[in-house]
Amino acid sequence: MRSDTVTKPTEAMRVAMANAEVDDDVLGNDPTALRLETEMARIMGKEAALFVPSGTMGNLISVLVHCDVRGSEVILGDISHIHIYENGGISTLGGVHPRTVKNNKDGTMDLDLVEAAIRDPKGELVYPITRLICIENSHANSGGRCLSVEYTDKIGELAKKHGLKLHIDGARIFNAATALGVPVDRLVQAADSVSVCLSKGLGAPVGTVIVGSKGFISKAKIMRKALGGGMRQVGILCAAALVALQDNVRKLEDDHKNTKLLADGLNKITGLKVDISSVETNIVFVNLSENLNTTAPKLCKRLEEHGVLVMLENKFRFRIVIHHQITTSDVQYALSCIK
Ligand SMILES: *Cc1c(COP(=O)(O)O)cnc(C)c1O
């Protein structure tokens, strides 16, 4: 239960992988990769798509393509995945300067703070040049909270007004669309690019797809090659991803139900606290009361002895993430162990 990245390929994925038609994708000839990219572009309502090895590379390529002049600046959340967990790659590899804006508890950034962070182009003698705004949906570090269509549209309008691009780190965009009950293409309509993980809740073994305009994707393809992400018979991986799209998107609703069940159960255990209002998708942050006679590291170790793996956050906090290979009875078993 420590992450939705730990899913194993299903039998249907293994069969699809074994039977995948493949060719050299760097030469643009792998039919299964092309099928996945066409399908993902259609689902997301964008012109084109590109399969990349990881979510980190998907975000990196997107930022580098939008900010193709060294010394460009990107506005992003202070606890966003790109800013915290991606090795600062946008700076070290791309020469892109990060300008952080505070993430609210619900994963949003205040629109007026975003607007205030945009540099005045007249100050080019001293300022970097703002080129991009990044948002994250669902927002992992806020507990998997969802940014609404209305919010996303407003950020998009703001970006447009100032001649900026909008990138969505949509590692869990299908979780967000499911929880909000909106079509995923509508949710990302305002974005110039979106990075969608296949190996989180969708349960594929490897990969992310980035989507955007044809022009964006052709530049992204060059950047992918430069970063070492051009792969040859990649249809083996894309075949599993196609099964994930077909079989697993609809399972996210059950994941969210199991997550709510878990969160409610945890909140009934003395000494533990979950902010129920923040549980919108498949992530739960659990806080231990400081006057318990145990700590999160000790509790996590005991749980491990019972086969329950969770992610330690700090001395008084751990994280649980639900995915399609965690059943309702697994949740009940975990609750009884924790209790
Ligand atoms: C997992 C994740 C990514 C990408 O992670 P990889 O491990 O590189 O695939 C990006 N953004 C968010 C919000 C994520 O949760």
Side-chain angles (χ1 to χ4, degrees):
M1 303 171 115
R2 61 207 190 281
S3 176
D4 48 7
T5 55
V6 302
T7 55
K8 306 280 165 67
T10 59
E11 193 51 41
M13 286 179 192
R14 297 277 192 181
V15 171
M17 293 171 86
N19 296 319
E21 239 189 289
V22 297
D23 204 324
D24 190 329
D25 185 54
V26 173
L27 302 182
N29 294 331
D30 187 294
T32 310
L34 293 173
R35 202 147 59 82
L36 173 66
E37 288 165 352
T38 305
E39 178 64 0
M40 196 61 121
R42 185 190 66 76
I43 293 172
M44 305 302 289
K46 302 293 179 198
E47 281 176 7
L50 187 70
F51 182 84
V52 299
S54 69
T56 298
M57 196 187 283
N59 284 330
L60 180 61
I61 290 171
S62 302
V63 173
L64 265 50
V65 167
H66 291 309
C67 301
D68 57 357
V69 177
R70 279 185 78 81
S72 298
E73 190 168 68
V74 52
I75 296 173
L76 76 181
D78 65 341
I79 56 167
S80 62
H81 196 281
I82 296 178
H83 192 57
I84 305 279
Y85 300 116
E86 300 184 8
N87 309 87
I90 60 168
S91 307
T92 54
L93 303 170
V96 177
H97 189 251
R99 181 93 186 268
T100 56
V101 169
K102 189 182 174 314
N103 277 122
N104 297 318
K105 267 188 69 181
D106 63 1
T108 61
M109 299 177 279
D110 287 343
L111 290 165
D112 53 347
L113 293 182
V114 172
E115 188 156 32
I118 298 169
R119 307 283 190 167
D120 179 353
K122 287 195 215 91
E124 65 185 352
L125 200 60
V126 287
Y127 293 152
I129 312 150
T130 314
R131 292 194 185 269
L132 177 67
I133 301 172
C134 290
I135 57 174
E136 183 179 317
N137 200 7
S138 67
H139 195 272
N141 253 345
S142 307
R145 298 196 68 174
C146 307
L147 309 183
S148 66
V149 168
E150 295 71 29
Y151 178 79
T152 308
D153 284 356
K154 277 190 190 142
I155 285 272
E157 277 163 31
L158 187 62
K160 213 172 239 154
K161 183 172 135 195
H162 293 272
L164 312 177
K165 302 291 184 193
L166 175 64
H167 172 69
I168 300 180
D169 177 356
R172 297 189 182 84
I173 195 73
F174 284 100
N175 291 86
T178 301
L180 294 166
V182 297
V184 70
D185 59 339
R186 177 64 191 90
L187 189 52
V188 304
Q189 194 176 294
D192 296 286
S193 59
V194 190
S195 173
V196 185
C197 278
L198 300 156
S199 60
K200 295 265 164 91
L202 299 190
V206 180
T208 278
V209 173
I210 53 178
V211 297
S213 69
K214 281 185 188 152
F216 168 81
I217 291 297
S218 42
K219 288 181 192 163
K221 203 172 278 182
I222 296 166
M223 190 62 77
R224 179 183 71 174
K225 188 68 177 69
L227 293 171
M231 299 183 286
R232 303 294 175 174
Q233 284 69 36
V234 78
I236 299 271
L237 302 177
C238 296
L242 280 160
V243 175
L245 284 178
Q246 192 161 65
D247 291 355
N248 292 349
V249 174
R250 65 182 128 89
K251 294 180 188 166
L252 296 174
E253 199 165 347
D254 285 337
D255 293 348
H256 298 172
K257 280 187 196 145
N258 281 331
T259 309
K260 287 228 163 63
L261 183 75
L262 176 76
D264 287 333
L266 287 166
N267 238 357
K268 290 197 186 100
I269 298 173
T270 314
L272 298 185
K273 190 154 168 35
V274 173
D275 176 4
I276 295 288
S277 71
S278 76
V279 179
E280 296 180 6
T281 55
N282 66 331
I283 302 177
V284 184
F285 283 109
V286 189
N287 298 296
L288 276 71
S289 142
E290 296 200 7
N291 49 29
L292 266 186
N293 59 357
T294 190
T295 59
K298 283 187 199 157
L299 179 60
C300 293
K301 209 160 185 331
R302 283 293 299 280
L303 288 173
E304 196 172 337
E305 289 164 20
H306 293 275
V308 177
L309 306 182
V310 301
M311 185 80 85
L312 182 66
E313 289 283 318
N314 61 43
K315 199 172 170 197
F316 296 106
R317 189 173 159 94
F318 63 94
R319 186 191 83 164
I320 295 182
V321 183
I322 299 296
H323 53 75
H324 77 104
Q325 287 165 342
I326 300 282
T327 63
T328 304
S329 66
D330 291 333
V331 167
Q332 277 150 356
Y333 171 72
L335 278 172
S336 70
C337 291
I338 294 167
K339 197 167 181 182

